[in-house]
Amino acid sequence: MRKKQVLIGLIGTKLDTPSGMRRWEEWRPSISLFGFEDLLIDRFVILHQARLEAALERIEADIHHISPHTTFERHCFDFNDPWDLEEVYDKLLSFADHYPFDPENEDYLFHITTGTHVFQICMFLLCEAQYLPGRLIQTSPPLKRRGPTWRIIDLDLSRYDAIAQRFAREQAARVAFLKAGIETRNAPFNQMMAEIEQVAVASTAPLLLLGPTGAGKTRLARRIYELKRLKKQVAGPLVEVNCATLRGDAAMSALFGHARGAFTGAIRERAGLLRQANGGLLFLDEIGELGLDEQAMLLRALEEKRFMPMGADEEVHSDFQLIAGTNRQLWREAHEGRFREDLLARIDLWTWRLPGLKDRREDLEPNLEYELREFSRKESRRVTFNREARQRFMRFAQAPSATWRGNFRDLNAAITRMATLAPGGRINMEGVEAEIQRLERSWQGGDSGPGEVGLVARVLGASVALDEFDRVQLEGVLAVCQRSRTISEAGRALFSVSREQKTTNNDADRLRKYLARFNLHWKDIKTDEEGA
Amino acid sequence: MIEIDGSLGEGGGQIVRTSLGLATLTGQDLTLTKIRAGRQKSGLLRQHLTALEAAAAISAAEVDGASLRSDHVVFRPKGIFSGKYHFSVGTAGSAMLVLQTILPPLMAADGPSEVFLEGGTHNPAAPPFDFIERVFVPALIRMGGRVKVTLERHGFFPAGGGRLRVQVEPSQLKPIEIMTRGRLQRRRARALCAHLPEHVGQRELKRVAQRLHWPGESLELEMISDAFCPGNVLILEIESEGGVAGFTAFGRRGIPAERVADEAIDAARVYLSEDAPVDAHLADQLIIPMAMAGGGRFRAGPLTQHTLTQIETVRRFMRCPIKVERDGRCAEVVFG
C-alpha cells in the first residue's frame, strides 16, 4: 500500500484568492501544486484565516477539477499579527502538537510559498526541529518559457552531494592543517586527528593531551589554536607554559598574577598568564608538575572564569580554553594525592594519547619530508638526501632497534644536524652513518638527553631517592619490561644467560622479586605504558 | 509475457498507453521497462497513471508498479469487461488519450459499455474532442465500429473538468481502403471561445478566410459557457470523398489570434498541397483499428515518428502484418 501524500499549507490571502475567470491565468501557489503531472496529493490540509471561508469554496472546486481524487480538511488559523514570530510560532506549534500525524501511512509536505516570511520561517524552524514531521515544499511562478515549478527542500544537508563533498573537503583540510600538512599514514593516529579536528571546531571544553615527551603535544596545541583562530573561534592569544618550569611563589604569580607589593620584590602589578590568555587558549604542558595550590586556583578559574591574583583584593576575570599536556599518570597521581581529583575530572573530558614515533613507524617518512622542508624554509636553502643515504637512514629509523626515545624531538634534531652538516645541501652516506652512531649512543646511554624524563623517574616519580647504581640497573630492567608483553617474556629476556646455564624456569618470579624491592608491580609498569 | 522497452521510439507516454491498450485488447501479460527514460521527469506521471488505472479497470488486471514516477510496470489483464465506467483525469490532462487507450479493447468486448471521462477535452498536448468526433470516429464507423462520443462539458487547460460520454457496442471491424482523396466536399472552420472576447475567434476565422479563401458560410464562431476556465481552439475540417481530415491550434496567452490561426492553416495547406487522404493524426489513430480488422490500407502524408512507434508497438502484440511503402513524400500503410 502506497503512503498517502498529504499537503499542509496556508491559503495565501492575496495570491491564492483571485476570483473571476482570469484567476486561471494567474499563478495561485497553493492551487498550482495540484496541477503538476509529477506530484499527486491525496489530501490537502488547508490552513486558512476565518475571513477566507468564502474563497475556500472556489479554491476547493478549482482543485477538484485538476486533482479529482484529492480530499480536503480545513483548519482555521487566525493570527492577530502574522508578522509576530512568537504568535505564529506558538500557533503552528500547537497545530503540530495536536494534529494526528500518522507518518507510518502518510507522507507530509509543508508548503512554504504562502504566508508571511515570519510564517515561512516558523514552518522551517518547526520542520527542522522535527515538530512538523515532513519535508518542505516550495512552488515558483511560471517564467517566460516554462510553467510553474515545485521543489522539495530537504533540510538534511548531508543529502546534497555538493554540500556533503564540501563539508568533507573542508574537514579534510582542517585535519591536514592539524597535522601540519604531514601526510601521516598511521591509521589510529589519523583517526585520532580527525576526532581532534571535530572536537576542536565544536567545543570550548578543556582538552587533555597525553603522550611521551617529543610526541608533538606542543605542536598540536599550536595547530589547534591556529585552526580555531582561522575559524574565528578565538580572538585572544595562545599562551604556552611548561608547568615544570614554575616553582613556588613564582608559579602562583606567573599563572595568576599579583598585585603590586604582594610579596617582597613585587614592585609592579603582574597580569599573569591566565589573564593574558583571556579570549584565547592556554596550553599548560606538564600539568602534572603543578602544585596543589595552583591546581585549586586553576580549577576555580576554569569553573568560574574568575580567580584571585596574589595579594589582590578583588577577583579578576579571564575566559580561555585550556589545553593540558602531560606524560604522567594523572589518575594515579590523583589517587596518591598529588593531583586534585576535581581538577582532573574537569580536564579529563577530551583526552587523547599521542603515540611516540616508534609506534608510528609508517609516519617516519612523511615526517622526515616535513622536517627537511621546514629546515629548508628556515635556513632558506634546499637540502636533500642522496638516494642511498636516504635508504640507509630509513632502514635504520624503521628498524625495531631504533627506540626514538625523544620521539619527534629526536627526529627533528637528527635532520637538523644532518642538514646543517650536509656538503652542498646534499645529505650523503657519511653524514647518515655519523648521525646513526650519534643517535644510537644517545639511546643506549643512561643519559636521557635534555628534557627527557627517564623511565625510573616516570614510574617512581622524579624525586625518588635512589643510588645511581640502582637507578641505572632499574632503568635497563624497566626498558625491557616496557618492550615485553608479559612478565614471563621480560623475565626470559633479562635472565637469558643464567637460564641457559641453569635451565631454571622461574625468571618471572625473579623479576617480580627484583621489582618488589622498589615497591613496584608488573601492572604498575604496564599501566604506565598503556595510559590513563 | 511481452516486454516493452519504454525508452524506444519517442520514449514518451504514447508507448505506455498503446502497450496497455494492446495488452488489454489481446489479453497478453505486459512488462513495461525504462518508462519515459531520459525524459526530464521520467517514469509514470499522473496522466499515465490514469490510463493505467483505466486499462486495469476494464481488464481486471493485476498491476505492479502503479505509482508516480515508477519506471517499471507489470500488467496482467484477466479479460475485457464491458460495462459502465467513470474515469477522472487530473491536471487537465487529456481525457482523449485515456479514451484512445481503452476504446479498442471495449470495441472487442462481448457487451456494450458506457464510459464517462472527466478531465481535459481540449488539451494542447492531444487531439481535441472535436477531432475525435469529426475525424477519427467517422473513420471507425466506416470500418464497422459502433461508437458514439458526446461532449457534455468542455474542459480546457488548466482547469480541465470537461466531461465526455462514450458509448461502445461490440464491433466487428472490417478492412477498408482509404487510398484517394477524391472530390472535395466540405470545408469547415470552427473557432471555440470560452470566457474570452468574441474577437479572439473572429480574428482567427478572418485569417482562415484570408489565407485559405474559404467562404463565409464555412466559418463558425462558437461561444462556450460551460467550461471552468477560459480557452480557445481553432479546428479546420476538410471533408472529401476519401474521408475527413482535421487540423487544430490552441490559443495561448500572449500569442495573437492570427498566429494561432496560422498554425492550423499552415498544416492544412501542407495537406492540401498533397493528395494523400489521411492526415498525420488520423494515420496514427488508424493503426490499431486496421490491425484489429486484420487488413485494409491507407495513404497518408509523411509518417510521423509517433506513427512509426505505433506501428512497431502493434507488431509486438498482434499477428497482422503491417507494411509501409513510401510513395514520394507520402506513404502507404498496408495491413494483412
Side-chain angles (χ1 to χ4, degrees), chain A residues 13 30 78 87 110 121 136 169 176 196 199 232 238 250 265 281 294 310 321 347 353 368-369 416 501 521 528 530 532:
Chain A
T13 45
S30 296
D78 265 325
E87 185 199 355
F110 297 94
I121 289 166
L136 299 173
R169 262 201 317 274
I196 292 175
V199 175
K232 311 262 183 277
L238 170 69
L281 206 143
E294 287 82 9
M310 286 178 72
Q321 182 174 13
I347 64 174
R353 168 165 290 268
L368 177 118
E369 297 289 353
T416 306
Q501 290 169 355
H521 298 283
D528 186 68
E530 262 139 41

Side-chain angles (χ1 to χ4, degrees), chain A residues 427-467:
Chain A
I427 301 173
N428 58 22
M429 202 59 136
E430 240 170 83
V432 167
E433 292 294 353
E435 179 59 31
I436 287 174
Q437 282 180 19
R438 211 177 290 134
L439 284 170
E440 277 177 338
R441 253 200 324 275
S442 97
W443 294 337
Q444 275 161 13
D447 155 34
S448 317
E452 174 66 2
V453 181
L455 284 170
V456 173
R458 209 191 298 171
V459 174
L460 293 176
S463 53
V464 70
L466 212 60
D467 284 331

Side-chain angles (χ1 to χ4, degrees), chain B:
Chain B
M1 176 71 76
I2 292 179
E3 193 179 319
I4 298 286
D5 179 340
S7 65
L8 292 180
E10 284 191 325
Q14 176 210 10
I15 196 163
V16 175
R17 283 186 299 266
T18 303
S19 300
L20 289 167
L22 289 169
T24 306
L25 173 69
T26 60
Q28 298 175 89
D29 292 352
L30 163 70
T31 301
L32 271 166
T33 61
K34 297 190 205 161
I35 294 170
R36 304 183 66 257
R39 294 293 174 109
Q40 200 197 350
K41 291 170 180 173
S42 64
L44 293 177
L45 299 182
R46 280 167 65 186
Q47 50 157 319
H48 312 122
L49 268 182
T50 312
L52 175 56
E53 281 159 17
I58 65 165
S59 64
E62 277 175 29
V63 185
D64 286 328
S67 57
L68 207 56
R69 308 298 302 274
S70 161
D71 65 351
H72 190 102
V73 167
V74 180
F75 182 83
R76 292 191 169 87
K78 300 282 174 274
I80 307 172
F81 302 92
S82 57
K84 207 165 172 172
Y85 294 100
H86 184 151
F87 302 114
S88 294
V89 188
T91 68
S94 177
M96 312 319 295
L97 293 177
V98 176
L99 176 61
Q100 283 178 22
T101 306
I102 59 172
L103 188 56
L106 287 179
M107 286 193 292
D110 291 335
S113 297
E114 183 180 35
V115 183
F116 289 93
L117 287 164
E118 282 186 285
T121 56
H122 294 77
N123 176 313
F129 170 81
D130 304 77
F131 185 92
I132 300 296
E133 184 197 27
R134 313 245 182 185
V135 182
F136 175 56
V137 169
L140 265 187
I141 290 171
R142 276 172 69 190
M143 296 174 70
R146 294 156 72 195
V147 177
K148 190 176 176 215
V149 289
T150 318
L151 186 69
E152 297 189 341
R153 188 168 56 229
H154 290 79
F156 287 97
F157 184 82
R163 189 173 155 99
L164 152 87
R165 180 174 176 224
V166 185
Q167 291 152 286
V168 190
E169 302 276 331
S171 314
Q172 188 59 53
L173 297 185
K174 57 179 197 292
I176 60 164
E177 296 194 350
I178 314 177
M179 295 301 288
T180 54
R181 197 177 285 174
R183 208 162 41 82
L184 199 68
Q185 290 180 322
R186 207 160 59 89
R187 297 171 292 199
R188 188 153 83 141
R190 287 168 64 232
L192 311 191
C193 278
H195 309 296
L196 287 174
E198 279 186 17
H199 72 80
V200 174
Q202 280 165 349
R203 282 158 59 201
E204 287 169 350
L205 294 173
K206 193 173 159 203
R207 190 75 163 182
V208 172
Q210 279 172 353
R211 290 193 56 203
L212 292 174
H213 309 293
W214 287 6
E217 66 267 23
S218 64
L219 310 178
E220 295 172 21
L221 174 66
E222 214 171 298
M223 296 305 287
I224 289 158
S225 55
D226 66 355
F228 287 118
C229 70
N232 161 244
V233 59
L234 174 68
I235 303 140
L236 306 180
E237 296 164 30
I238 300 173
E239 188 176 342
S240 52
E241 286 172 332
V244 189
F247 309 91
T248 55
F250 286 84
R252 268 109 61 215
R253 196 180 184 182
I255 311 283
E258 289 75 16
R259 266 189 51 205
V260 172
D262 281 345
E263 293 169 15
I265 293 166
D266 289 344
R269 282 170 64 133
V270 169
Y271 173 80
L272 287 169
S273 72
E274 289 160 351
D275 62 354
V278 171
D279 70 67
H281 285 295
L282 182 60
D284 200 37
Q285 293 165 9
L286 278 177
I287 305 295
I288 294 175
M290 287 234 171
M292 285 169 76
R297 62 172 66 198
F298 67 79
R299 192 150 168 276
L303 296 185
T304 60
Q305 176 71 42
H306 223 257
T307 306
L308 295 174
T309 306
Q310 194 78 345
I311 291 171
E312 276 315 302
T313 313
V314 169
R315 280 176 175 153
R316 297 289 306 279
F317 285 88
M318 300 175 77
R319 273 193 299 273
C320 176
I322 307 173
K323 214 167 60 186
V324 178
E325 286 167 16
R326 277 279 150 73
D327 162 20
R329 269 176 57 78
C330 296
E332 231 178 277
V333 187
V334 184
F335 296 78

